Amino acid sequence: MGKFSDRPDIEAAAQKVKPAIGAKREITHLPTVLWEGETVDMLATGAYGGGVGLVALTDRRLIFLKHGILSQTLEDFPLGNISSVQWTGGMLMGTLAVYASGNKADIKNIPKAHGEALSSRLRMVISAPPVAAAPTVVPAPAGASDVVSRLATLDQLRVAGAITDQEYQDRRAAILASI
């Protein structure tokens, strides 16, 4: 099968779900609905809201996109709003139930293998703890760098077992008193 998209993330996801029956138009249109910097992780086909289209899991949301000649449908579920997902599979197809913001959305007729993989990945993503922002580093005032260095050395000595906890406490108190 040929190339689906010029974007490497979309192309890689599309190649995993070959053949993308009935979703080529949606895959081609997908870059126009993505937010700046948003990347695609997985793709599948499915039916939602009366149409068959593309289900895309990105690093920020789950998207259902139907891009027909006469009508277009775009429904998205920000990952932070998804509380749980449920996969119900049949012999060939299944349904992905997405619970978000107190509502339930059923995306039906997803090929079984793609739906199982998508639901597993989605569960993993929504259950992961949020990434904390990096702590803000406050520059030490002049002369404090010596104190910081001495405290760091003291910590290393304690971790290495070169000094006892009591010696650590005594020396730490002396360093802090010298400020």
Side-chain angles (χ1 to χ4, degrees), residues 17-140:
V17 297
K18 286 194 304 186
I21 300 169
K24 178 127 173 80
R25 180 188 307 257
E26 283 79 10
I27 292 171
T28 303
H29 188 69
L30 185 58
T32 66
V33 301
L34 294 175
W35 297 334
E36 185 175 331
E38 186 174 22
T39 58
V40 174
D41 186 16
M42 295 184 80
L43 297 174
T45 56
Y48 178 72
V52 175
L54 183 69
V55 181
L57 175 61
T58 75
D59 60 334
R60 300 181 191 173
R61 57 194 170 141
L62 181 68
I63 300 169
F64 177 80
L65 174 64
K66 177 188 177 295
H67 192 269
I69 296 170
L70 299 176
S71 68
Q72 290 82 37
T73 301
L74 173 66
E75 180 86 24
D76 67 345
F77 308 91
L79 296 178
N81 293 354
I82 299 175
S83 58
S84 67
V85 295
Q86 177 183 359
W87 171 252
T88 308
M91 290 203 42
L92 299 174
M93 303 286 203
T95 299
L96 179 68
V98 179
Y99 297 87
S101 303
N103 296 311
K104 177 184 174 191
D106 288 329
I107 305 173
K108 301 177 180 183
N109 298 328
I110 299 176
K112 187 175 181 179
H114 301 157
E116 288 173 344
L118 182 65
S119 66
S120 292
R121 178 75 175 132
L122 190 51
R123 274 189 200 93
M124 187 180 78
V125 169
I126 65 172
S127 66
V131 177
T136 304
V137 177
V138 178

